[in-house]
Amino acid sequence: MARTPVRARLRAARLGPRDVLHVGSAGLRSRPVRVVLSALGIAIGIATMIAVVGVSASSQAQLMRELDRLGTNMLVATPGEPMFSGEDVKLPKDAVGMVGRIDGVEEAAATGDIKEAVRRSEKISEDETGGIAVKAATEELLKVLRGEVAAGRWLNQASGRYPSVVLGHVAAQRLGITSPGQQVYIGDRYFTVVGILGPLPLSPEIERSALAGWQGAQKLLGFDGHPTSVYERSSDSSVHAVRKLIASTVDPRNPQNVQVTDPSSALQAKAATKGAFSGLLLGLGGIALLVGGVGVANTMIISVLERRYEIGLRRSLGATRGQIRIQFVTESLMLSGLGGLAGVAMGAAATGIYAYSGGLPWVVPPWAVGGGFGATLVIGTIAGLYPAVRAARLSPTLALHAA
């Protein structure tokens, strides 16, 4: 007795990864102008986010390099606020030696304020100071500050006894001094400029000063020998301990008359707050990204409406609803991915231009690149879901008939 053959159940062919990419990119290849315009919204959002993070990271990297070079182990002792009005608080003349004897202190130096104005010539009024102070300085000051002489030389035992000064770079600019050998007028005589300092981010008061030798200032400018600021460097491990001891060491009877500050804290705070406005700009970038996602969704919905005949034909040839959904979700992902790649490149390029123009290191955090591109994929998936579901629900008969 012959057996009745059993008919095999028909199953829809599965789409491999290569097939999914092929059908998903078909709509992109046929409408290149629309693809570019739709991806542009995504690209602008991602570029904004990458550029904001990159610029902030580059600026912070520069500040941290500056901190590493200058160190965070410098403290400055200055006279505190007087308890009674009219009281004159001064540091002892041997304050530098006192600070230098504290355990952990490696170097110490001082400056003292001088009540004189520095002018380009005696014909300029004394009231026109240009915000430049005149200070006496010990020979160790430049070493403690880790500063550099941009031109000329620093004060030494010989030049510090005679009418010679070293200018901070801001003071030199305001006085119009471009090179050593020129003269400035202080008190009642001319002083020869023997050096011009480079920038000192930890000591902006030195940048705006004319520095005379300690002994020369006492002999020529009436300096009383009391330091106004004592700078010290200690080992990193002993900074906190030294800070607690400075005031009581300099003035054991009235430690409240000594104020101790950490100049590096300003740069540290600046580095910490460099991204204060990054959140706002990132929010604007996120809004641009969402607008780009809406544009992608709109493009996909229009694509579904325009391609009803294609969808109906594929369904009539055996494509399942799941395959239709995968096709349009893949197309949306590819559209968003192209915008994301373009946005990452644009953001990195903008960061590079900013860093190059400002002399900063070019830093684009990997997490920003990965997070930004991942956001585009999420946006693409969400934007493509509704159009994909709508396309899958189209009836093959109605789609072909409508076409």
Side-chain angles (χ1 to χ4, degrees), residues 43-61:
I44 291 174
I46 293 299
T48 302
M49 299 175 73
I50 295 295
V52 167
V53 175
V55 167
S56 178
S58 298
S59 299
Q60 287 181 337

Side-chain angles (χ1 to χ4, degrees), residues 41-87:
I42 295 286
I44 291 174
I46 293 299
T48 302
M49 299 175 73
I50 295 295
V52 167
V53 175
V55 167
S56 178
S58 298
S59 299
Q60 287 181 337
Q62 176 66 13
L63 285 174
M64 295 312 296
R65 284 187 182 182
E66 199 70 32
L67 277 173
D68 290 340
R69 183 180 71 84
L70 298 173
T72 57
N73 59 345
M74 185 175 76
L75 299 174
V76 182
T78 56
E81 294 294 331
M83 296 183 62
F84 305 100
S85 60
E87 183 181 0

Side-chain angles (χ1 to χ4, degrees), residues 311-394:
I311 296 170
L313 183 60
R314 289 200 61 215
R315 291 281 283 120
S316 65
L317 293 177
T320 64
R321 290 184 176 181
Q323 291 173 349
I324 298 298
R325 284 195 293 267
I326 291 175
Q327 174 186 349
F328 282 91
V329 170
T330 301
E331 184 173 330
S332 177
L333 280 172
M334 295 178 71
L335 180 58
S336 300
L338 289 174
L341 290 175
V344 169
M346 290 166 58
T351 303
I353 294 173
Y354 174 83
Y356 178 78
S357 61
L360 304 177
W362 181 24
V363 179
V364 178
W367 64 264
V369 176
F373 188 72
T376 63
L377 299 183
V378 173
I379 292 292
T381 302
I382 296 174
L385 281 177
Y386 174 71
V389 172
R390 181 170 180 173
R393 288 179 177 177
L394 284 176

Side-chain angles (χ1 to χ4, degrees), residues 4 9 18 40 67 72 75 80 104 119 128 134 142 167 225 288 295 306 352 395:
T4 304
R9 185 177 179 181
R18 185 174 180 180
L40 185 60
L67 277 173
T72 57
L75 299 174
R119 295 168 286 168
E128 297 181 12
V134 180
L142 189 64
L167 299 178
E306 291 180 345
S395 169

Side-chain angles (χ1 to χ4, degrees), residues 119-126 184-185 187-190:
R119 295 168 286 168
R120 194 66 176 85
S121 71
E122 75 276 12
K123 297 181 180 180
I124 299 175
S125 172
E126 293 184 3
V184 293
Y185 196 76
D188 59 354
R189 69 178 66 205
Y190 278 95

Side-chain angles (χ1 to χ4, degrees), residues 22 67 93 154 287 301 364 374 382-383:
H22 179 74
L67 277 173
K93 291 185 178 182
W154 176 245
I287 293 174
I301 291 175
V364 178
I382 296 174

